[in-house]
Amino acid sequence: MRAISKGCPPGSASGPGFWNIQFNSLLNLEYSKNTKVIAYVDNLLILTKGKTQVEVENYANIETQKVTAWVRENKMIFKECKSKLVIITQRRTKIKRDYKIYLNNIQLRQENTKKYLGIIIDRRKTHT
């Protein structure tokens, strides 16, 4: 038998309860009115809206800084390489440049589509 110093062993009976208690504090952070945060198990989706590209970048970077601080304070880690950015817009104009949104001081890679919990999200809301 091996002693566990932190975390929840996969398949443990108490693991989901401990995870809910831990993750609840992340969901209960004070996010701006332009932000919606959705979580399922260990997946986190941050939705931020704004009228301009700069406004979206500002709101999103403030929120990702909160998440980064929460992760650090709770002695957890996340894989920035698995975190992606999808811009959803109804505008017909082409995005002039990639959005500059950072997680843990690493710029998120912008993609046209992202699969999240079996749902394909794309920039024009044409996939389901």
Side-chain angles (χ1 to χ4, degrees):
M1 202 163 215
R2 200 171 108 183
I4 298 192
S5 62
K6 60 183 171 179
C8 295
S12 74
S14 59
F18 288 142
W19 182 251
N20 285 341
I21 292 167
Q22 182 75 14
F23 221 61
N24 241 6
S25 64
L26 174 62
L27 296 174
N28 289 327
L29 292 176
E30 285 192 36
Y31 296 102
S32 77
K33 63 181 169 110
N34 292 334
T35 300
K36 175 85 173 159
V37 178
I38 301 169
Y40 181 78
V41 187
D42 62 348
N43 292 291
L44 184 69
L45 182 65
I46 302 172
L47 303 167
T48 303
K49 65 180 179 178
K51 294 181 181 180
T52 66
Q53 183 171 353
V54 171
E55 193 173 287
V56 170
E57 288 172 334
N58 288 338
Y59 283 127
N61 282 314
I62 288 167
E63 306 304 9
T64 56
Q65 286 175 3
K66 291 176 190 174
V67 170
T68 299
W70 180 89
V71 166
R72 193 176 310 114
E73 288 168 14
N74 287 278
K75 297 179 175 60
M76 299 179 77
I77 59 168
F78 52 79
K79 296 182 180 177
E80 296 86 358
C81 63
K82 293 179 91 175
S83 300
K84 304 291 185 248
L85 170 66
V86 176
I87 302 301
I88 300 172
T89 182
Q90 294 177 330
R91 291 187 177 175
R92 297 273 182 225
T93 58
K94 188 175 179 172
I95 296 172
K96 294 179 173 92
R97 65 170 173 83
D98 280 352
Y99 281 63
K100 292 183 179 359
I101 299 173
Y102 300 87
L103 183 62
N104 207 22
N105 295 322
I106 296 174
Q107 186 173 348
L108 294 176
R109 195 171 91 211
Q110 191 169 320
E111 296 184 347
N112 290 324
T113 62
K114 175 70 178 151
K115 191 172 185 178
Y116 179 75
L117 302 175
I119 299 169
I120 298 173
I121 301 169
D122 78 350
R123 58 176 273 132
R124 296 278 183 213
K125 300 188 282 187
T126 57
H127 289 88
T128 54

Short mmCIF file of all heavy atoms in Angstrom, two decimals, residues 8-57:
data_model
loop_
_atom_site.label_atom_id
_atom_site.label_comp_id
_atom_site.label_asym_id
_atom_site.label_seq_id
_atom_site.Cartn_x
_atom_site.Cartn_y
_atom_site.Cartn_z
N CYS A 8 -6.58 12.97 -5.12
CA CYS A 8 -7.55 11.89 -4.90
C CYS A 8 -7.19 10.75 -5.83
O CYS A 8 -7.06 10.95 -7.03
CB CYS A 8 -8.96 12.36 -5.22
SG CYS A 8 -9.56 13.64 -4.12
N PRO A 9 -7.05 9.55 -5.30
CA PRO A 9 -6.73 8.43 -6.16
C PRO A 9 -7.88 8.14 -7.12
O PRO A 9 -9.05 8.19 -6.71
CB PRO A 9 -6.51 7.26 -5.20
CG PRO A 9 -6.99 7.72 -3.87
CD PRO A 9 -7.14 9.19 -3.90
N PRO A 10 -7.59 7.88 -8.39
CA PRO A 10 -8.65 7.58 -9.35
C PRO A 10 -9.48 6.38 -8.88
O PRO A 10 -8.95 5.39 -8.41
CB PRO A 10 -7.90 7.24 -10.64
CG PRO A 10 -6.55 7.85 -10.47
CD PRO A 10 -6.27 7.85 -8.99
N GLY A 11 -10.79 6.51 -8.98
CA GLY A 11 -11.68 5.42 -8.61
C GLY A 11 -12.02 5.35 -7.13
O GLY A 11 -12.77 4.47 -6.70
N SER A 12 -11.49 6.27 -6.33
CA SER A 12 -11.77 6.22 -4.90
C SER A 12 -13.20 6.68 -4.63
O SER A 12 -13.76 7.49 -5.37
CB SER A 12 -10.79 7.08 -4.11
OG SER A 12 -11.09 8.44 -4.29
N ALA A 13 -13.79 6.17 -3.58
CA ALA A 13 -15.16 6.55 -3.22
C ALA A 13 -15.26 8.00 -2.77
O ALA A 13 -16.25 8.68 -3.03
CB ALA A 13 -15.68 5.62 -2.12
N SER A 14 -14.22 8.50 -2.13
CA SER A 14 -14.27 9.87 -1.62
C SER A 14 -13.75 10.89 -2.63
O SER A 14 -13.94 12.09 -2.45
CB SER A 14 -13.46 9.98 -0.34
OG SER A 14 -12.11 9.59 -0.59
N GLY A 15 -13.11 10.43 -3.70
CA GLY A 15 -12.52 11.33 -4.69
C GLY A 15 -13.46 12.38 -5.25
O GLY A 15 -13.16 13.57 -5.24
N PRO A 16 -14.65 11.98 -5.75
CA PRO A 16 -15.55 13.00 -6.32
C PRO A 16 -15.99 14.06 -5.31
O PRO A 16 -16.08 15.23 -5.65
CB PRO A 16 -16.75 12.17 -6.80
CG PRO A 16 -16.19 10.81 -7.05
CD PRO A 16 -15.12 10.63 -6.00
N GLY A 17 -16.24 13.66 -4.09
CA GLY A 17 -16.62 14.63 -3.06
C GLY A 17 -15.51 15.61 -2.76
O GLY A 17 -15.75 16.82 -2.67
N PHE A 18 -14.28 15.10 -2.62
CA PHE A 18 -13.14 15.98 -2.38
C PHE A 18 -12.96 16.94 -3.56
O PHE A 18 -12.66 18.12 -3.38
CB PHE A 18 -11.86 15.19 -2.14
CG PHE A 18 -11.82 14.48 -0.82
CD1 PHE A 18 -11.25 13.23 -0.73
CD2 PHE A 18 -12.35 15.06 0.32
CE1 PHE A 18 -11.20 12.56 0.49
CE2 PHE A 18 -12.31 14.41 1.53
CZ PHE A 18 -11.73 13.15 1.62
N TRP A 19 -13.10 16.40 -4.78
CA TRP A 19 -12.91 17.24 -5.96
C TRP A 19 -13.97 18.34 -6.01
O TRP A 19 -13.67 19.48 -6.32
CB TRP A 19 -12.96 16.40 -7.23
CG TRP A 19 -12.73 17.24 -8.44
CD1 TRP A 19 -13.63 17.60 -9.38
CD2 TRP A 19 -11.50 17.90 -8.81
NE1 TRP A 19 -13.05 18.42 -10.31
CE2 TRP A 19 -11.75 18.62 -9.98
CE3 TRP A 19 -10.23 17.94 -8.24
CZ2 TRP A 19 -10.76 19.36 -10.62
CZ3 TRP A 19 -9.26 18.69 -8.88
CH2 TRP A 19 -9.52 19.38 -10.04
N ASN A 20 -15.22 18.01 -5.69
CA ASN A 20 -16.28 19.02 -5.69
C ASN A 20 -15.99 20.13 -4.69
O ASN A 20 -16.20 21.31 -4.98
CB ASN A 20 -17.64 18.39 -5.39
CG ASN A 20 -18.19 17.63 -6.57
OD1 ASN A 20 -17.78 17.83 -7.70
ND2 ASN A 20 -19.13 16.75 -6.31
N ILE A 21 -15.54 19.76 -3.53
CA ILE A 21 -15.21 20.76 -2.51
C ILE A 21 -14.10 21.67 -3.01
O ILE A 21 -14.17 22.89 -2.90
CB ILE A 21 -14.81 20.07 -1.18
CG1 ILE A 21 -16.03 19.39 -0.57
CG2 ILE A 21 -14.20 21.08 -0.21
CD1 ILE A 21 -15.70 18.43 0.56
N GLN A 22 -13.08 21.08 -3.59
CA GLN A 22 -11.94 21.85 -4.09
C GLN A 22 -12.35 22.74 -5.26
O GLN A 22 -12.06 23.93 -5.27
CB GLN A 22 -10.82 20.89 -4.52
CG GLN A 22 -9.57 21.56 -5.00
CD GLN A 22 -8.76 22.14 -3.87
OE1 GLN A 22 -8.97 21.83 -2.71
NE2 GLN A 22 -7.82 22.98 -4.20
N PHE A 23 -13.02 22.17 -6.26
CA PHE A 23 -13.35 22.89 -7.48
C PHE A 23 -14.40 23.97 -7.23
O PHE A 23 -14.46 24.95 -7.95
CB PHE A 23 -13.82 21.90 -8.55
CG PHE A 23 -13.28 22.19 -9.92
CD1 PHE A 23 -11.92 22.18 -10.15
CD2 PHE A 23 -14.13 22.45 -10.97
CE1 PHE A 23 -11.41 22.44 -11.41
CE2 PHE A 23 -13.64 22.72 -12.24
CZ PHE A 23 -12.28 22.71 -12.46
N ASN A 24 -15.25 23.78 -6.23
CA ASN A 24 -16.27 24.76 -5.90
C ASN A 24 -15.66 26.12 -5.61
O ASN A 24 -16.22 27.15 -5.97
CB ASN A 24 -17.10 24.29 -4.71
CG ASN A 24 -18.54 24.12 -5.06
OD1 ASN A 24 -18.92 24.24 -6.21
ND2 ASN A 24 -19.34 23.83 -4.07
N SER A 25 -14.52 26.14 -4.96
CA SER A 25 -13.89 27.43 -4.65
C SER A 25 -13.45 28.14 -5.92
O SER A 25 -13.48 29.38 -5.99
CB SER A 25 -12.72 27.25 -3.68
OG SER A 25 -11.69 26.50 -4.26
N LEU A 26 -13.08 27.40 -6.95
CA LEU A 26 -12.73 28.01 -8.24
C LEU A 26 -13.98 28.58 -8.90
O LEU A 26 -13.98 29.69 -9.43
CB LEU A 26 -12.07 26.99 -9.16
CG LEU A 26 -11.79 27.43 -10.60
CD1 LEU A 26 -10.81 28.59 -10.62
CD2 LEU A 26 -11.27 26.28 -11.42
N LEU A 27 -15.07 27.84 -8.86
CA LEU A 27 -16.31 28.31 -9.48
C LEU A 27 -16.91 29.50 -8.75
O LEU A 27 -17.64 30.28 -9.34
CB LEU A 27 -17.32 27.17 -9.54
CG LEU A 27 -16.92 25.98 -10.41
CD1 LEU A 27 -17.93 24.87 -10.28
CD2 LEU A 27 -16.75 26.41 -11.85
N ASN A 28 -16.60 29.63 -7.47
CA ASN A 28 -17.16 30.71 -6.66
C ASN A 28 -16.28 31.97 -6.61
O ASN A 28 -16.59 32.90 -5.86
CB ASN A 28 -17.44 30.22 -5.24
CG ASN A 28 -18.61 29.28 -5.21
OD1 ASN A 28 -19.55 29.41 -5.99
ND2 ASN A 28 -18.57 28.31 -4.32
N LEU A 29 -15.22 32.02 -7.40
CA LEU A 29 -14.43 33.24 -7.48
C LEU A 29 -15.31 34.35 -8.06
O LEU A 29 -16.31 34.08 -8.73
CB LEU A 29 -13.21 33.04 -8.39
CG LEU A 29 -12.12 32.10 -7.89
CD1 LEU A 29 -11.05 31.93 -8.97
CD2 LEU A 29 -11.51 32.58 -6.61
N GLU A 30 -14.94 35.59 -7.81
CA GLU A 30 -15.70 36.72 -8.35
C GLU A 30 -15.27 36.99 -9.78
O GLU A 30 -14.20 37.55 -10.03
CB GLU A 30 -15.50 37.96 -7.49
CG GLU A 30 -16.25 37.91 -6.19
CD GLU A 30 -16.28 39.26 -5.50
OE1 GLU A 30 -16.35 40.29 -6.18
OE2 GLU A 30 -16.21 39.24 -4.27
N TYR A 31 -16.11 36.56 -10.71
CA TYR A 31 -15.86 36.79 -12.13
C TYR A 31 -16.67 38.00 -12.58
O TYR A 31 -17.69 38.33 -11.98
CB TYR A 31 -16.24 35.56 -12.96
CG TYR A 31 -15.41 34.34 -12.64
CD1 TYR A 31 -15.90 33.32 -11.84
CD2 TYR A 31 -14.12 34.22 -13.13
CE1 TYR A 31 -15.13 32.20 -11.54
CE2 TYR A 31 -13.34 33.11 -12.83
CZ TYR A 31 -13.85 32.11 -12.05
OH TYR A 31 -13.09 31.01 -11.75
N SER A 32 -16.25 38.65 -13.64
CA SER A 32 -16.96 39.82 -14.14
C SER A 32 -18.32 39.41 -14.70
O SER A 32 -18.56 38.24 -15.00
CB SER A 32 -16.15 40.54 -15.22
OG SER A 32 -16.24 39.84 -16.45
N LYS A 33 -19.21 40.38 -14.87
CA LYS A 33 -20.53 40.11 -15.41
C LYS A 33 -20.46 39.67 -16.87
O LYS A 33 -21.41 39.10 -17.39
CB LYS A 33 -21.43 41.34 -15.27
CG LYS A 33 -20.95 42.54 -16.05
CD LYS A 33 -21.86 43.73 -15.85
CE LYS A 33 -21.22 44.95 -16.42
NZ LYS A 33 -21.64 45.58 -17.50
N ASN A 34 -19.33 39.89 -17.51
CA ASN A 34 -19.14 39.48 -18.91
C ASN A 34 -18.59 38.07 -19.03
O ASN A 34 -18.25 37.63 -20.12
CB ASN A 34 -18.18 40.44 -19.62
CG ASN A 34 -18.79 41.81 -19.79
OD1 ASN A 34 -20.00 41.95 -19.83
ND2 ASN A 34 -17.97 42.82 -19.86
N THR A 35 -18.49 37.37 -17.92
CA THR A 35 -17.86 36.05 -17.91
C THR A 35 -18.80 35.01 -17.32
O THR A 35 -19.48 35.26 -16.34
CB THR A 35 -16.56 36.09 -17.09
OG1 THR A 35 -15.68 37.04 -17.69
CG2 THR A 35 -15.87 34.74 -17.06
N LYS A 36 -18.79 33.85 -17.93
CA LYS A 36 -19.51 32.68 -17.43
C LYS A 36 -18.48 31.55 -17.35
O LYS A 36 -17.72 31.32 -18.29
CB LYS A 36 -20.64 32.32 -18.39
CG LYS A 36 -21.38 31.08 -18.05
CD LYS A 36 -22.46 31.38 -17.06
CE LYS A 36 -23.30 30.11 -16.88
NZ LYS A 36 -24.03 30.09 -15.68
N VAL A 37 -18.44 30.86 -16.21
CA VAL A 37 -17.50 29.77 -16.02
C VAL A 37 -18.30 28.48 -15.83
O VAL A 37 -19.22 28.43 -15.03
CB VAL A 37 -16.58 30.03 -14.80
CG1 VAL A 37 -15.64 28.88 -14.57
CG2 VAL A 37 -15.80 31.31 -15.01
N ILE A 38 -17.95 27.47 -16.60
CA ILE A 38 -18.63 26.18 -16.57
C ILE A 38 -17.59 25.11 -16.31
O ILE A 38 -16.52 25.12 -16.92
CB ILE A 38 -19.35 25.90 -17.89
CG1 ILE A 38 -20.38 27.00 -18.19
CG2 ILE A 38 -20.02 24.54 -17.88
CD1 ILE A 38 -20.94 26.97 -19.59
N ALA A 39 -17.90 24.18 -15.42
CA ALA A 39 -16.95 23.10 -15.12
C ALA A 39 -17.67 21.76 -15.15
O ALA A 39 -18.84 21.66 -14.77
CB ALA A 39 -16.31 23.31 -13.77
N TYR A 40 -16.97 20.76 -15.59
CA TYR A 40 -17.45 19.39 -15.54
C TYR A 40 -16.23 18.52 -15.24
O TYR A 40 -15.26 18.53 -16.01
CB TYR A 40 -18.11 18.97 -16.85
CG TYR A 40 -18.63 17.56 -16.80
CD1 TYR A 40 -19.83 17.27 -16.15
CD2 TYR A 40 -17.93 16.52 -17.38
CE1 TYR A 40 -20.31 15.98 -16.08
CE2 TYR A 40 -18.39 15.23 -17.31
CZ TYR A 40 -19.59 14.96 -16.67
OH TYR A 40 -20.06 13.68 -16.61
N VAL A 41 -16.27 17.81 -14.15
CA VAL A 41 -15.15 17.01 -13.65
C VAL A 41 -13.93 17.93 -13.60
O VAL A 41 -13.92 18.88 -12.84
CB VAL A 41 -14.92 15.74 -14.48
CG1 VAL A 41 -13.88 14.85 -13.83
CG2 VAL A 41 -16.23 14.97 -14.66
N ASP A 42 -12.90 17.67 -14.39
CA ASP A 42 -11.71 18.53 -14.34
C ASP A 42 -11.58 19.39 -15.60
O ASP A 42 -10.50 19.86 -15.93
CB ASP A 42 -10.45 17.70 -14.11
CG ASP A 42 -10.18 16.71 -15.23
OD1 ASP A 42 -11.08 16.50 -16.07
OD2 ASP A 42 -9.08 16.15 -15.27
N ASN A 43 -12.68 19.61 -16.29
CA ASN A 43 -12.70 20.48 -17.47
C ASN A 43 -13.30 21.81 -17.10
O ASN A 43 -14.35 21.88 -16.47
CB ASN A 43 -13.52 19.84 -18.60
CG ASN A 43 -12.86 18.60 -19.15
OD1 ASN A 43 -11.83 18.69 -19.77
ND2 ASN A 43 -13.46 17.46 -18.88
N LEU A 44 -12.66 22.87 -17.52
CA LEU A 44 -13.12 24.22 -17.21
C LEU A 44 -13.30 24.99 -18.51
O LEU A 44 -12.41 24.99 -19.36
CB LEU A 44 -12.11 24.94 -16.32
CG LEU A 44 -12.52 26.32 -15.83
CD1 LEU A 44 -13.68 26.20 -14.83
CD2 LEU A 44 -11.34 27.01 -15.17
N LEU A 45 -14.44 25.62 -18.65
CA LEU A 45 -14.74 26.43 -19.82
C LEU A 45 -14.99 27.85 -19.33
O LEU A 45 -15.81 28.08 -18.44
CB LEU A 45 -15.99 25.89 -20.53
CG LEU A 45 -16.45 26.57 -21.80
CD1 LEU A 45 -15.41 26.40 -22.90
CD2 LEU A 45 -17.78 25.96 -22.25
N ILE A 46 -14.24 28.81 -19.88
CA ILE A 46 -14.42 30.22 -19.52
C ILE A 46 -14.97 30.93 -20.75
O ILE A 46 -14.33 30.96 -21.80
CB ILE A 46 -13.08 30.86 -19.10
CG1 ILE A 46 -12.48 30.12 -17.91
CG2 ILE A 46 -13.29 32.33 -18.77
CD1 ILE A 46 -11.08 30.58 -17.55
N LEU A 47 -16.17 31.47 -20.62
CA LEU A 47 -16.82 32.21 -21.70
C LEU A 47 -16.79 33.69 -21.34
O LEU A 47 -17.27 34.08 -20.28
CB LEU A 47 -18.26 31.76 -21.87
CG LEU A 47 -18.47 30.27 -22.12
CD1 LEU A 47 -19.93 29.89 -21.95
CD2 LEU A 47 -17.98 29.90 -23.50
N THR A 48 -16.22 34.50 -22.22
CA THR A 48 -16.13 35.93 -21.98
C THR A 48 -16.65 36.66 -23.21
O THR A 48 -16.36 36.27 -24.33
CB THR A 48 -14.66 36.35 -21.72
OG1 THR A 48 -14.16 35.59 -20.63
CG2 THR A 48 -14.56 37.81 -21.39
N LYS A 49 -17.41 37.71 -22.98
CA LYS A 49 -17.93 38.47 -24.11
C LYS A 49 -17.49 39.92 -24.02
O LYS A 49 -17.21 40.44 -22.94
CB LYS A 49 -19.45 38.37 -24.18
CG LYS A 49 -20.17 39.01 -23.01
CD LYS A 49 -21.66 38.87 -23.16
CE LYS A 49 -22.36 39.50 -21.96
NZ LYS A 49 -23.79 39.42 -22.07
N GLY A 50 -17.41 40.54 -25.18
CA GLY A 50 -17.06 41.94 -25.25
C GLY A 50 -17.44 42.51 -26.60
O GLY A 50 -17.72 41.76 -27.54
N LYS A 51 -17.44 43.82 -26.70
CA LYS A 51 -17.83 44.48 -27.95
C LYS A 51 -16.69 44.59 -28.94
O LYS A 51 -16.90 44.66 -30.14
CB LYS A 51 -18.41 45.86 -27.64
CG LYS A 51 -19.71 45.77 -26.88
CD LYS A 51 -20.29 47.14 -26.61
CE LYS A 51 -21.58 46.97 -25.84
NZ LYS A 51 -22.24 48.19 -25.51
N THR A 52 -15.45 44.63 -28.43
CA THR A 52 -14.29 44.75 -29.31
C THR A 52 -13.29 43.66 -28.95
O THR A 52 -13.35 43.04 -27.89
CB THR A 52 -13.60 46.12 -29.14
OG1 THR A 52 -13.05 46.20 -27.82
CG2 THR A 52 -14.58 47.27 -29.37
N GLN A 53 -12.34 43.47 -29.84
CA GLN A 53 -11.30 42.48 -29.60
C GLN A 53 -10.49 42.85 -28.35
O GLN A 53 -10.21 41.99 -27.52
CB GLN A 53 -10.37 42.38 -30.82
CG GLN A 53 -9.30 41.32 -30.66
CD GLN A 53 -8.54 41.06 -31.94
OE1 GLN A 53 -8.87 41.57 -33.00
NE2 GLN A 53 -7.51 40.25 -31.85
N VAL A 54 -10.17 44.09 -28.18
CA VAL A 54 -9.40 44.54 -27.02
C VAL A 54 -10.19 44.29 -25.74
O VAL A 54 -9.64 43.84 -24.73
CB VAL A 54 -9.00 46.02 -27.16
CG1 VAL A 54 -8.39 46.56 -25.88
CG2 VAL A 54 -8.03 46.20 -28.32
N GLU A 55 -11.48 44.56 -25.76
CA GLU A 55 -12.32 44.34 -24.58
C GLU A 55 -12.36 42.86 -24.21
O GLU A 55 -12.23 42.50 -23.04
CB GLU A 55 -13.73 44.87 -24.86
CG GLU A 55 -14.59 44.99 -23.63
CD GLU A 55 -15.92 45.66 -23.93
OE1 GLU A 55 -15.92 46.89 -24.15
OE2 GLU A 55 -16.95 44.95 -23.95
N VAL A 56 -12.52 42.00 -25.20
CA VAL A 56 -12.52 40.55 -24.94
C VAL A 56 -11.19 40.11 -24.36
O VAL A 56 -11.14 39.36 -23.39
CB VAL A 56 -12.85 39.76 -26.23
CG1 VAL A 56 -12.62 38.27 -26.03
CG2 VAL A 56 -14.28 40.02 -26.67
N GLU A 57 -10.10 40.59 -24.94
CA GLU A 57 -8.77 40.23 -24.44
C GLU A 57 -8.61 40.67 -22.99
O GLU A 57 -8.10 39.91 -22.16
CB GLU A 57 -7.68 40.86 -25.31
CG GLU A 57 -7.53 40.24 -26.66
CD GLU A 57 -6.57 40.99 -27.57
OE1 GLU A 57 -6.39 42.22 -27.40
OE2 GLU A 57 -6.01 40.35 -28.46
#
